[in-house]
Amino acid sequence: MIAGAEQTLAVQSSRYRVAVATNASISRRPEIEHALQRVGLLRHMATVFCYT
């Protein structure tokens, strides 16, 4: 993960609705959410939009 990413998302998600949009055709939403959860970022997301 990029240094400072979690802190930046914490600030931004307290002010704005933050979302992830991906066109990953292999990973489905549960897998994307699991990956974000694993690195502590899912809690900052309002929603996850997926291609599949």
Side-chain angles (χ1 to χ4, degrees):
M1 183 167 48
I2 298 171
E6 197 279 330
Q7 294 84 358
T8 300
L9 283 171
V11 171
Q12 295 304 312
S13 66
S14 71
R15 298 178 184 162
Y16 307 101
R17 287 178 44 97
V18 178
V20 169
T22 178
N23 67 348
S25 59
I26 296 172
S27 300
R28 300 201 182 277
R29 183 180 179 152
E31 296 163 322
I32 300 292
E33 290 176 342
H34 178 74
L36 291 168
Q37 180 68 39
R38 190 178 65 239
V39 295
L41 300 181
L42 184 61
R43 64 190 172 122
H44 302 298
M45 302 300 151
T47 193
V48 176
F49 297 99
C50 293
Y51 173 79
T52 56

